[in-house]
Amino acid sequence: MDRSFPEILKKLHEIEIDYADGEGIDFEPFDEFYSEEETSDWIKAWTGNDTLDGNEYLIYGQDGTGGYVAFWCVRKNADLLEQPIVFFGSEGEVGVVAQSFSDYVWLFANGIGPYEAVAYPDLERPKSQDFIRFATEYAPSSKSTASQIVEKAKAEFPDFEGIIDRLCQ
């Protein structure tokens, strides 16, 4: 799998994320994907399953507690930016956040990060003008509310949480 960090993801990560003392987006972006070794160590620790290698995940950010955000490379022959985005919380929270990168950027435009999308998918927050500009430029056809984005992702991947539960030991 190509582990090159997409330029558009780098551009997204250049936008300042305001945590706003817990009232904003809880997300700390990375400048590169976790290495294969780091990902393997993480998935084994997170699930308690030493048989996993985590190769289907490209981790590129975390929340303040250490929960990870990743592309879940589950669509055969699809571009990386067309892969779903998932969240693994430090306290066992897990969920599909968005169907693709285009949907994902609209979460941020709606003032919602990956953690909030899993924990509080119907949360209403002030919109972020910087993220709206980015989403409008790079993903204009994906404009949606945060709850619609999460609902679409869960509808396409309804068993993601079950898949992960079955991997845990």
Side-chain angles (χ1 to χ4, degrees):
M1 174 187 328
D2 181 12
R3 299 184 73 81
S4 302
F5 206 77
E7 288 301 317
I8 195 167
L9 186 56
K10 288 178 186 177
K11 281 186 175 192
L12 178 69
H13 287 178
E14 290 172 0
I15 300 172
E16 184 177 343
I17 298 170
D18 187 4
Y19 181 61
D21 294 322
E23 298 299 316
I25 297 173
D26 185 2
F27 183 69
E28 300 170 14
F30 297 163
D31 295 329
E32 59 187 28
F33 293 123
Y34 259 29
S35 70
E36 289 181 48
E37 182 180 341
E38 289 169 316
T39 303
S40 178
D41 290 346
W42 159 76
I43 195 74
K44 288 173 184 175
W46 201 92
T47 62
N49 185 338
D50 287 338
T51 67
L52 302 177
D53 60 21
N55 283 338
E56 64 273 26
Y57 303 104
L58 292 174
I59 299 170
Y60 64 88
Q62 68 183 33
D63 72 351
T65 67
Y68 289 127
V69 180
F71 284 103
W72 178 32
C73 300
V74 67
R75 291 186 176 125
K76 302 290 185 229
N77 302 317
D79 181 75
L80 178 61
L81 299 176
E82 294 303 316
Q83 300 290 352
I85 294 167
V86 296
F87 178 78
F88 290 85
S90 63
E91 301 298 319
E93 312 92 328
V94 64
V96 178
V97 173
Q99 288 179 308
S100 68
F101 179 77
S102 293
D103 286 340
Y104 178 73
V105 298
W106 281 102
L107 284 176
F108 282 88
N110 282 289
I112 303 292
Y115 166 74
E116 294 87 7
V118 170
Y120 313 105
D122 296 321
L123 184 64
E124 293 290 326
R125 287 242 175 101
K127 310 282 189 257
S128 165
Q129 293 306 309
D130 290 336
F131 285 113
I132 287 173
R133 280 190 288 280
F134 183 93
T136 301
E137 180 176 349
Y138 293 103
S141 63
S142 295
K143 184 177 182 179
S144 292
T145 66
S147 60
Q148 289 170 330
I149 292 166
V150 174
E151 285 173 23
K152 283 188 339 185
K154 286 183 176 185
E156 183 177 355
F157 302 101
D159 197 34
F160 178 70
E161 293 166 22
I163 290 167
I164 301 305
D165 284 345
R166 289 188 290 279
L167 293 176
C168 294
Q169 296 183 348

